[in-house]
């Protein structure tokens, strides 16, 4: 646990997801790259959840969202890798 409380861990996770969303919106507005901003959001959001997994946060057990723990640890990184490969193959315009 980061703060020793599942509710504080959840609040921190939600706050970080909002920050990640704002960052991806800024990239979308200024860079005008929809796919890149979506990829950025996906990777950063996965990093936020992996931070909770790696710190052994009890928020997943306390709020009964253990499926999100497994999804963010096993499946989401594979989706991000496939998304990166797709983005690299499309050769985005600069």
């Amino acid at each position: 646990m980061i703060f020793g409380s599942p509710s504080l861990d959840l609040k921190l996770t939600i706050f970080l997801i909002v920050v990640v969303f704002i960052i991806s919106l800024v990239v979308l507005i200024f860079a005008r790259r929809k796919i890149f901003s979506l990829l950025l959001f996906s990777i950063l959001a996965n990093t936020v959840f992996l931070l909770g997994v790696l710190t052994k946060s009890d928020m997943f057990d306390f709020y009964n969202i253990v499926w999100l723990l497994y999804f963010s640890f096993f499946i989401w990184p594979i989706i991000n890798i496939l998304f990166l490969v797709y983005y690299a193959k499309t050769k985005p315009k600069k």
Side-chain angles (χ1 to χ4, degrees), residues 72-83:
S72 65
F73 194 74
F74 294 113
I75 299 171
W76 204 345
I78 295 170
I79 292 171
N80 284 336
I81 291 169
L82 293 174
F83 201 15

Side-chain angles (χ1 to χ4, degrees), residues 1-58:
M1 285 188 266
I2 295 173
F3 290 113
S5 167
S7 64
L8 288 176
D9 287 347
L10 183 64
K11 288 177 185 177
L12 177 67
T13 302
I14 291 172
F15 172 75
L16 290 175
I17 292 293
V18 169
V19 169
V20 165
F21 182 72
I22 291 170
I23 290 170
S24 67
L25 278 179
V26 168
V27 168
L28 176 65
I29 291 170
F30 290 113
R32 305 257 185 221
R33 294 183 182 174
K34 294 177 186 176
I35 300 293
F36 180 71
S37 65
L38 185 63
L39 175 66
L40 183 67
F41 177 76
S42 180
I43 290 172
L44 291 177
N46 188 21
T47 305
V48 168
F49 282 109
L50 284 177
L51 179 78
V53 171
L54 295 176
T55 58
K56 297 181 175 146
S57 175
D58 286 337

